[in-house]
Coordinates of all heavy atoms in Angstrom, one line a residue:
N1 N 57.7 -23.2 -22.8 CA 58.8 -22.6 -22.1 C 59.9 -23.5 -22.3 O 61.2 -23.1 -22.6 CB 58.5 -22.5 -20.6 CG 58.8 -21.1 -20.1 OD1 58.6 -20.1 -20.8 ND2 59.0 -20.9 -18.9
Q2 N 59.8 -24.8 -22.4 CA 60.8 -25.8 -22.7 C 61.4 -25.6 -24.0 O 62.6 -25.7 -24.3 CB 60.3 -27.1 -22.5 CG 61.4 -28.3 -22.6 CD 60.9 -29.6 -22.0 OE1 59.9 -29.8 -21.4 NE2 61.8 -30.7 -22.3
V3 N 60.6 -25.3 -25.0 CA 61.1 -25.1 -26.4 C 62.0 -23.9 -26.5 O 63.0 -23.9 -27.2 CB 59.9 -25.1 -27.4 CG1 60.4 -24.6 -28.7 CG2 59.2 -26.5 -27.5
D4 N 61.4 -22.8 -25.8 CA 62.2 -21.5 -25.7 C 63.6 -21.9 -25.2 O 64.6 -21.5 -25.7 CB 61.5 -20.6 -24.7 CG 60.4 -19.8 -25.5 OD1 60.4 -19.8 -26.7 OD2 59.5 -19.3 -24.8
A5 N 63.6 -22.6 -24.1 CA 65.0 -23.0 -23.4 C 65.8 -23.8 -24.4 O 67.1 -23.5 -24.4 CB 64.7 -23.7 -22.1
E6 N 65.3 -24.7 -25.2 CA 66.0 -25.5 -26.1 C 66.6 -24.7 -27.1 O 67.8 -24.8 -27.7 CB 65.1 -26.6 -26.7 CG 64.7 -27.7 -25.7 CD 63.6 -28.6 -26.2 OE1 63.1 -28.3 -27.3 OE2 63.5 -29.7 -25.7
Q7 N 65.9 -23.7 -27.6 CA 66.4 -22.7 -28.6 C 67.6 -21.9 -28.1 O 68.5 -21.7 -28.8 CB 65.2 -22.0 -29.2 CG 64.3 -22.7 -30.2 CD 63.2 -21.8 -30.7 OE1 62.8 -20.8 -30.0 NE2 62.7 -22.2 -31.8
M8 N 67.3 -21.3 -26.8 CA 68.4 -20.6 -26.3 C 69.6 -21.5 -26.1 O 70.8 -21.0 -26.2 CB 67.9 -20.0 -24.9 CG 67.0 -18.8 -25.1 SD 66.6 -17.9 -23.7 CE 65.4 -19.0 -22.9
M9 N 69.6 -22.8 -25.6 CA 70.5 -23.6 -25.5 C 71.4 -23.8 -26.7 O 72.7 -23.7 -26.7 CB 70.1 -24.9 -24.9 CG 69.7 -25.1 -23.5 SD 68.8 -26.7 -23.0 CE 70.3 -27.7 -23.2
A10 N 70.7 -23.9 -27.8 CA 71.4 -24.0 -29.1 C 72.2 -22.8 -29.4 O 73.4 -23.0 -29.9 CB 70.4 -24.3 -30.2
K11 N 71.6 -21.5 -29.2 CA 72.4 -20.4 -29.5 C 73.6 -20.2 -28.6 O 74.8 -19.9 -29.1 CB 71.5 -19.2 -29.3 CG 70.4 -19.1 -30.3 CD 69.5 -17.9 -30.1 CE 68.5 -17.6 -31.3 NZ 67.7 -18.8 -31.5
I12 N 73.5 -20.6 -27.4 CA 74.6 -20.6 -26.4 C 75.6 -21.6 -26.7 O 76.9 -21.2 -26.7 CB 74.1 -20.7 -24.9 CG1 73.2 -19.4 -24.7 CG2 75.3 -20.8 -23.9 CD1 72.4 -19.6 -23.3
A13 N 75.3 -22.8 -27.0 CA 76.3 -23.8 -27.4 C 76.9 -23.4 -28.7 O 78.3 -23.8 -28.8 CB 75.5 -25.1 -27.7
D14 N 76.3 -22.8 -29.6 CA 77.1 -22.3 -30.8 C 78.3 -21.4 -30.6 O 79.2 -21.3 -31.3 CB 76.2 -21.7 -31.9 CG 75.3 -22.8 -32.5 OD1 75.6 -24.0 -32.5 OD2 74.4 -22.3 -33.2
R15 N 78.2 -20.7 -29.4 CA 79.3 -19.8 -29.1 C 80.5 -20.6 -28.3 O 81.3 -19.9 -27.8 CB 78.7 -18.7 -28.1 CG 77.8 -17.8 -28.9 CD 78.6 -17.0 -29.9 NE 77.5 -16.2 -30.7 CZ 77.2 -14.9 -30.3 NH1 77.8 -14.3 -29.2 NH2 76.4 -14.2 -31.1
G16 N 80.2 -21.8 -28.0 CA 81.4 -22.7 -27.4 C 81.2 -22.8 -25.9 O 82.2 -23.4 -25.3
Y17 N 80.2 -22.4 -25.3 CA 79.9 -22.6 -23.9 C 79.7 -24.1 -23.6 O 79.1 -24.8 -24.4 CB 78.9 -21.7 -23.3 CG 79.2 -20.3 -23.3 CD1 78.8 -19.5 -24.4 CD2 79.9 -19.6 -22.3 CE1 79.2 -18.2 -24.5 CE2 80.3 -18.4 -22.3 CZ 79.9 -17.6 -23.5 OH 80.2 -16.2 -23.4
A18 N 80.0 -24.7 -22.5 CA 79.8 -25.9 -22.0 C 78.6 -25.9 -21.1 O 78.5 -25.0 -20.1 CB 81.0 -26.5 -21.4
F19 N 77.7 -26.8 -21.3 CA 76.6 -26.9 -20.4 C 76.8 -28.0 -19.2 O 77.4 -29.0 -19.4 CB 75.3 -27.3 -21.1 CG 74.8 -26.2 -21.9 CD1 75.0 -26.2 -23.3 CD2 74.1 -25.1 -21.4 CE1 74.4 -25.2 -24.0 CE2 73.5 -24.2 -22.1 CZ 73.7 -24.1 -23.5
V20 N 76.3 -27.6 -18.1 CA 76.3 -28.6 -16.8 C 74.8 -28.7 -16.4 O 74.1 -27.8 -16.5 CB 77.2 -28.1 -15.7 CG1 78.8 -28.1 -16.2 CG2 76.9 -26.7 -15.3
A21 N 74.6 -30.0 -15.9 CA 73.1 -30.1 -15.3 C 73.0 -29.5 -14.0 O 71.8 -29.1 -13.7 CB 72.9 -31.6 -15.3
E22 N 74.0 -29.4 -13.2 CA 73.9 -28.9 -11.7 C 74.1 -27.5 -11.7 O 75.2 -27.1 -12.0 CB 74.7 -29.7 -10.9 CG 74.7 -29.3 -9.4 CD 73.4 -29.6 -8.8 OE1 72.8 -30.6 -9.2 OE2 72.9 -28.8 -7.9
P23 N 73.2 -26.6 -11.4 CA 73.4 -25.2 -11.3 C 74.6 -24.8 -10.4 O 75.3 -23.9 -10.8 CB 72.1 -24.6 -10.7 CG 71.1 -25.6 -11.2 CD 71.8 -26.9 -11.1
G24 N 74.8 -25.6 -9.3 CA 75.9 -25.1 -8.4 C 77.4 -25.4 -9.0 O 78.3 -25.0 -8.5
M25 N 77.4 -26.0 -10.1 CA 78.6 -26.3 -10.8 C 78.9 -25.4 -12.0 O 79.8 -25.5 -12.9 CB 78.6 -27.8 -11.3 CG 78.6 -28.8 -10.2 SD 78.5 -30.5 -10.8 CE 80.0 -30.7 -11.7
A26 N 77.9 -24.5 -12.2 CA 78.1 -23.6 -13.3 C 78.7 -22.2 -13.0 O 78.7 -21.8 -11.8 CB 76.7 -23.4 -14.0
D27 N 79.2 -21.5 -14.0 CA 79.6 -20.1 -13.8 C 78.5 -19.2 -14.1 O 78.1 -18.2 -13.4 CB 80.8 -19.8 -14.8 CG 81.9 -20.6 -14.7 OD1 82.5 -20.7 -13.5 OD2 82.2 -21.2 -15.6
I28 N 77.7 -19.4 -15.1 CA 76.5 -18.6 -15.4 C 75.3 -19.5 -15.4 O 75.2 -20.6 -16.0 CB 76.7 -18.0 -16.8 CG1 77.9 -17.1 -16.9 CG2 75.3 -17.2 -17.1 CD1 78.2 -16.7 -18.2
V29 N 74.2 -19.1 -14.7 CA 72.9 -19.9 -14.5 C 71.8 -19.0 -15.1 O 71.7 -17.9 -14.7 CB 72.5 -20.3 -13.1 CG1 71.2 -21.1 -13.0 CG2 73.7 -21.0 -12.5
L30 N 71.1 -19.7 -16.1 CA 69.9 -19.1 -16.7 C 68.7 -19.8 -16.2 O 68.6 -21.0 -16.3 CB 70.0 -19.1 -18.2 CG 69.0 -18.4 -19.0 CD1 69.6 -18.0 -20.3 CD2 67.7 -19.2 -19.2
V31 N 67.8 -19.0 -15.6 CA 66.5 -19.7 -15.1 C 65.4 -19.1 -15.9 O 65.1 -17.9 -16.0 CB 66.2 -19.3 -13.6 CG1 66.3 -17.9 -13.1 CG2 65.0 -20.0 -13.2

């Protein structure tokens, strides 16, 4: 599952989105 998440992170990052570690500080949360 962690590898799946890492691949999804790369795809999302390529679109220019910024990642935050704390869900409460995000606009969109993927679980």
Side-chain angles (χ1 to χ4, degrees):
N1 240 25
Q2 187 170 346
V3 171
D4 282 336
E6 291 173 345
Q7 290 180 326
M8 287 190 281
M9 287 173 67
K11 289 178 172 61
I12 295 169
D14 282 347
R15 295 290 175 89
Y17 292 94
F19 283 103
V20 295
E22 179 67 37
M25 297 172 65
D27 299 301
I28 302 173
V29 181
L30 187 155
V31 55

